[in-house]
Each structure stands twice: as C-alpha cells, then as structure tokens.
Amino acid sequence: MATQTHDPDQPVPVFFLSDSTGISAETMGNALLLQFPDLRFERTLIPFITTVEEARDVVATLDAAVDRGITPLAFTTTALDEVRLELHKTRAPLIDFFDMHMQRVEGLLGARGVRAPARLHGVGDIKRYNSRMQAVEYAIEHDDGQSVRSLEKADVVLVAPSRCGKTPTTMYLALQHGLFVANYPLVEEDLADLELPRPVRELHDRCFGITTTPARLHAVRSERRPNSTYASLPQCSSELRRAEAMYRAHDLPIIDSSAKSVEEMSTLILQVLARRNPSGRRGAVP
Amino acid sequence: MATQTHDPDQPVPVFFLSDSTGISAETMGNALLLQFPDLRFERTLIPFITTVEEARDVVATLDAAVDRGITPLAFTTTALDEVRLELHKTRAPLIDFFDMHMQRVEGLLGARGVRAPARLHGVGDIKRYNSRMQAVEYAIEHDDGQSVRSLEKADVVLVAPSRCGKTPTTMYLALQHGLFVANYPLVEEDLADLELPRPVRELHDRCFGITTTPARLHAVRSERRPNSTYASLPQCSSELRRAEAMYRAHDLPIIDSSAKSVEEMSTLILQVLARRNPSGRRGAVP
C-alpha cells in the first residue's frame, strides 16, 4: 500500500463494493474523488455482494487489477461482517466506510449495531416506500398544470414561466422525498397582473416561485423553438420580471434555477418546509 | 465523548452537516444509523455551510443540544478546511467522513485533493447535467406508452402489464443516471401471443421485462379499481404468466419488482447494461 504517483494519462481503476445497491459507496467515494479534478478514474460498481463466495470473486477481480500494475482504489460500505472480512483480504487498498465509523457510532450510542445489509436504498418501510411511489404518480399527473384535480393534496406547488426547470425538481422531490409536488406554468395571461393564477390561489402558502436568468431561459427555449418570439430575449426577460413581481407580491420563496442543480433547489425547498414546520414530517429518506 | 447508554424513549438528536446539499452526509450517516433499529433519531440537516461564521453558528446549535443533556451525533462531509476546523470545535461528537478518508486517498493517489466544496450534487458538468434533465422530459413523454415518437432514442425500454412498477424506475434511471428510458404497458391484446408489441419489436435488445407476484399486482390494482376484473387475482395471474412467457421467448432480462425498490431495480438494469457494454457510458453520477 505504498504511496505512488499516478501517470495522469492512465485512469485509476476504482471499485465501489456493496452488499446492497452501492449507492452509498458511490456517493461517498465520488465525494472524495471529486477532490482530484486532474486525475481520471475508471469506475466499476459491484453491488449485491452478500456471500463469502461472492466476496472471494471480488477479491480476485481486485487482485487481478493490482497485478496489471495500476493499484486500484476500492470503496466499501458492506455491513455483513463475514463479507467485509473476506473483502479485506484483497491486496488492493480498501477504504471501508462502514467499519471505522460503525465502531465509533457504537461507542457513542452505547449500543451494538446489527451489522446486517442495510438496504438504505431498499424498500424499507413499505408504507413510506409506497407513498414515494404515489408521489411520483402524482407528480406526473400534475406536471405542467396538466391536471388541477386534487391540487389541494400538494405539499409543494412550483410556479414558473415555461422552461424554468420546474419538472426535474418536481420529480426529484417526489421520488427522493415522497413529497406531493405539483407544478404550474405561468402563461402570458397569468402574467397580466400580480394575482396568482386561480387554480393555485388558495394554495399560496405552498407555492414556490422559480426563476432563472433571461439569457439562460432564452438559451433553453431556443433549443425547443429557435427564432420564435417565445424564445426571444425580450420575451424571456419580460416574463421573468413579471413572474418575480408576482412572487414578491405574495411573499413566495424564490428559487433561482440558473446555477443550481435539482438537488440544490430541492434542498432549499426542504429547508423552507423544515423552518415552517420544524416538527413536521421530514421528507428525507429514510 | 464518553460512552453512554441512551434511554430508548428519548430520540438521539442527529445532525447532518455539509458545505453543499448534505446528501452525502445523510446517505452515509443514515447507512450507519440503520444498523440501530431499536433506537430513535431526530434528524436535522444543516446544508450549505460555507463560511467560518456559519460554522460557528452550527457549533452553537450543537453545543446547545449537548447542554440539553442528550449528546447529539453529528456527521459532516464538509471539505473546506477552515469550515471543517471550525466545526471540530464543537463539544458534540463529530463523525467526519471527509477528513480521515481524504488523507488516506491522498496518500494512495500520491496527489493532494483540492479540498473545495465538492458539489457532488451540484450542476457539475453542464452537458451531463442537461442530458439528465432531457432524460427526465423524455421519460415523462414516453411514460406508459403515451408516445411512440422517437422511441428509437431509448437506452432502455421497460415492458410490463399495467401497475407492475415501471414508472418510478423509469424516472429514477432518467433523473439519477441520465438514461433515456421509455416504458410500454402490455395490454390484453399484446398478451394474445408471444410476439413483442409492434412499437418495441425492433428495440428488443433494449427491452427489460418487469414482473411481480399475482398477489402484489392484485393488491396494487385493487387500490385503483376495487373489485374489478382488471384487479382480480385470476386476471393478474394470467397476465403475469403470459408476460413472463413473452420475456423468455425474446430473452429479455426479467426484473421482479415485488420485493425490490426502484434503486435496486435500477441497479440491476445498470448491471446488465454494463455487462453488455463494459466500456460504454456509465450512467452513474458523476
């Protein structure tokens, strides 16, 4: 396990090992690898390692990579003791997110962890899981103002002019957090005054206004309808200005999507919900 | 930081601290906490801690929890050195996913990490991000066989009788992995013989067959249309039998959704794609 300097032209083989989906191993491993923007990595996910035999095969794969001359990195979140111990027999360096932290958390909590495959991304609580699935259906049904039926069931209503990025954030909040999210497109007639459109007027306390920059909206709309009035910079600029005035008139939280990912926008929305209702249900999985 | 035995009736306060969304801190922290099914936790996410002043406020919050008598747990993935060092001043035990592993990875790679906020869940590579967003639109447009337009662009086509769980997996693969996924419902006439339905026939090498148990399908359909022929156990059983025969006749990979989460089904699908095309694009973020 000597320190080595990698040839930057050679990608470093990276393995993510897990007894379930490997999403946690990928998340943590990638968070670390992102700190090395000058290196290239060749990533392989090996999920669902649940038996000692499977672990042995994985060790053979890792050791074969070592023998090819470039030391791979391997990240594991495997919880099953016998699988973990088998994986640790590899000659490749193994970064075990579970072991070290588990012992510490056990000490702090004064309790022993069950050390079973966690299935953090499994079905888990079936009621909770089903409500996430219902949330996805609800989001599809209420995407882009398609249906105003049972709009009052929404936990969150995203309001914005067309192409400001409502839909992916809607889907993310539904799928990852089980929130019922509707989104409502502001069209020209909605923007004629500062009133919220009739279907969402009663729901103003659940509305969030999404905005972006005129340049970004122009670019996104131009992909769909090049050289149209709809995509023109003055039109984009005017719609955003009037939309933002509407949001401010009703004290809606405003989220700027121009430089934010769906995950970042979702986090901001969840923070607003948490502040409003500190003891309320947290959407986060699990 | 003494070991303590918690009163199981008192939830343990848990804080997830991050300089970005906190998704990594939550993922890793929750993977550990899931190993203690008998304890209750009261979770608070504090994202976007990017300045020393903000870190100082967080420390005050943590220390106030310590003073209330129940030692909280805090998980951090913060990369910024000055923020991290400030957070470590808390009297609460801090589990730092970044620090320890970062030093090890730096040693192994023979390179120094930039130690900047990673924004693993930020926009990142804009082209890649935009393709994820396009994938979400594609998924909505092609949900439930709604459109057969540009079906040939699909990376994956999920085929199944109604209510087998195609839609959430479609959305997950689109949103998290940027794959173009269409799904196609098998109706009674499709199931009359073993042929794949005409719109997906040419795409058989991208098709995955989803199945479930008759009991589960009966339960899910009964929620939608109680006491209908559609939801009856014999009908569910017959549709699934004929669908599975069709999948086998065309060598489609078969995924059983009855006890699997969308994350688990997605992982299985990605594994099939990776085996078929080892050097192909990996869907995983980033």
Side-chain angles (χ1 to χ4, degrees), chain A residues 31-211:
Chain A
L32 292 169
L33 297 182
L34 217 54
Q35 300 290 328
F36 302 90
D38 297 336
L39 296 182
R40 287 192 307 131
F41 300 101
E42 189 181 83
R43 296 169 169 86
T44 305
L45 168 66
I46 310 183
F48 305 121
I49 313 168
T50 54
T51 67
V52 171
E53 290 66 40
E54 286 164 347
R56 215 166 276 156
D57 290 345
V58 172
V59 168
T61 304
L62 296 175
D63 287 352
V66 173
D67 292 337
R68 279 197 298 278
I70 305 174
T71 306
L73 279 185
F75 296 100
T76 175
T77 51
T78 304
L80 277 169
D81 272 334
E82 73 264 27
V83 171
R84 237 168 25 73
L85 292 174
E86 192 63 35
L87 291 176
H88 274 276
K89 293 183 182 166
T90 179
R91 285 178 281 123
L94 190 65
I95 291 161
D96 188 333
F97 287 121
F98 193 84
D99 188 34
M100 210 166 359
H101 299 304
M102 192 61 193
Q103 290 177 24
R104 176 110 192 271
V105 172
E106 285 179 330
L108 291 164
L109 293 174
R112 185 162 165 81
V114 291
R115 292 168 185 256
R119 295 193 69 198
L120 178 60
H121 298 98
V123 172
D125 176 345
I126 185 75
K127 267 178 80 174
R128 186 175 185 101
Y129 181 78
N130 286 344
S131 85
R132 276 173 70 203
M133 299 308 109
Q134 283 161 12
V136 171
E137 279 170 30
Y138 184 89
I140 292 175
E141 196 179 329
H142 294 85
D143 185 48
D144 217 18
Q146 276 183 66
S147 165
V148 292
R149 194 171 68 82
S150 62
L151 209 55
E152 75 286 351
K153 279 197 198 160
D155 297 305
V156 167
V157 181
L158 303 183
V159 176
S162 155
R163 314 295 300 157
C164 281
K166 297 181 297 294
T167 296
T169 300
T170 300
M171 289 300 154
Y172 186 86
L173 285 168
L175 192 53
Q176 301 290 22
H177 296 275
L179 290 175
F180 278 45
V181 185
N183 66 64
Y184 194 88
L186 297 174
V187 296
E188 195 57 41
E189 59 224 72
D190 296 319
L191 294 167
D193 59 41
L194 292 176
E195 276 308 304
L196 284 171
R198 191 169 298 278
V200 300
R201 202 167 293 168
E202 298 295 308
L203 307 171
H204 61 93
D205 55 338
R206 299 170 230 179
C207 285
F208 289 73
I210 311 287
T211 191

Side-chain angles (χ1 to χ4, degrees), chain B residues 6 19 29 106 142 158 185:
Chain B
H6 276 288
D19 49 21
E106 285 180 332
H142 294 84
L158 303 184

Side-chain angles (χ1 to χ4, degrees), chain B residues 250-266:
Chain B
H250 299 275
D251 260 340
L252 306 189
I254 302 180
I255 313 267
D256 180 350
S257 69
S258 64
K260 290 193 187 68
S261 69
V262 290
E263 288 85 352
E264 290 167 329
M265 287 193 278
S266 299

